[in-house]
Amino acid sequence: MADLGVILGDLAAETQTIDDVVAGLPASDWARPTPAEGWTIAHQIAHLAWTDEKSLISAAHPEDWQGEVEKLLQIGENYVDAGAAEGAEKAPRQLLADWRTGRAALADALAAVPEGQKLPWYGPPMSAASMATARMMETWAHGQDIFDALGLVREPTMRLWHITRFGTRTRDFAFKLHSLAPPAEQFRVELTAPDGSTWAFGPEDAEQRLTGSAVDFCLLITQRRHRDDTDLVATGDGVDEWLGIAQAFAGPPGAGRKPGQFA
């Protein structure tokens, strides 16, 4: 079972890594375009703050969740872009302060969720540990967009374990998102961790297998790199198909990145 305290600690560390990068940027750099079309660095931070805010409603005030969903339905299917655009209009210093306040409040709220309680979300309800892991995944992914926009190389950490586990657990979600039946059989996933060890998921005797680096797997399932630009190797038609549609985040199928975009 996932340890919520460990996940929250790693989430705080991952978030601080991004905070350290953007806190020292001049205001002009907050308007720098990122690989996400139409999104600047300010949009990326605003989106993280926006999602933290929605997560806080789910964790601390689940009775208000249905009303929140109804408000978003009134905005339309572009509510995510609208939220990011609204936040990006703030002055960088204010946006950064709001993000810091919101993520701290969310961490406290998640830590206080009773064990076994499920939290409402846009998809299926999830545990506090799952929500914290999802925040880790998304924080890392949007952080990658910021690092790419600035031309910086991010040092991988063992915190990626949370994202790799989340990525394997969202396999069936990716197939269903594309109106495809998930494979009946389990896959074996073996990934090389940043320290050179192996992270393995699924039965050892599975015929269909995926191997490669944990970093590239995380880049793939968050759609921050095209599969052609990773070292991932698929054995089996089902795994091969998964690599083409993998998506760990909620929402409609993403556009992903183009082959060679970061060469």
Side-chain angles (χ1 to χ4, degrees), residues 8 11-13 15-16 19 48-49 51-53 55-56 59-60 96-112 135 139:
L8 289 175
L11 173 59
T15 307
Q16 189 60 49
D19 191 310
L48 291 176
T51 314
D52 284 344
E53 177 187 344
S55 301
L56 180 60
L96 184 59
D98 290 348
W99 179 41
R100 288 169 173 169
T101 299
R103 72 194 198 225
L106 175 60
D108 290 343
L110 288 174
R135 297 306 304 129
T139 297

Side-chain angles (χ1 to χ4, degrees), residues 34-37 145 148 223-226 229 255-263:
T34 68
E37 186 175 355
D145 289 334
D148 286 337
Q223 296 190 356
R224 263 52 189 183
R225 292 295 185 273
H226 190 275
D229 296 329
R257 302 291 180 258
K258 299 176 182 178
Q261 183 173 347
F262 301 94

Side-chain angles (χ1 to χ4, degrees), residues 138-221:
E138 192 168 25
T139 297
W140 184 85
H142 289 282
Q144 185 64 47
D145 289 334
I146 293 172
F147 274 76
D148 286 337
L150 295 170
L152 301 176
V153 176
R154 176 163 52 174
E155 191 70 25
T157 73
M158 297 296 281
R159 296 191 294 270
L160 290 178
W161 183 86
H162 302 291
I163 306 173
T164 59
R165 179 174 178 268
F166 193 77
T168 61
R169 291 165 66 91
T170 55
R171 183 201 73 167
D172 289 359
F173 164 76
F175 278 91
K176 293 175 182 177
L177 196 59
H178 289 79
S179 300
L180 298 170
E185 62 186 290
Q186 295 291 313
F187 296 162
R188 176 69 169 181
V189 178
E190 295 182 354
L191 304 170
T192 303
D195 68 352
S197 62
T198 299
W199 291 334
F201 308 89
E204 289 187 52
D205 60 351
E207 292 186 2
Q208 300 208 60
R209 312 175 75 85
L210 173 65
T211 59
S213 71
V215 174
D216 281 4
F217 179 72
C218 291
L219 289 169
L220 180 84
I221 56 103

Side-chain angles (χ1 to χ4, degrees), residues 239-250:
V239 178
D240 187 69
E241 186 175 27
W242 182 33
L243 290 187
I245 61 174
Q247 176 175 323
F249 52 89

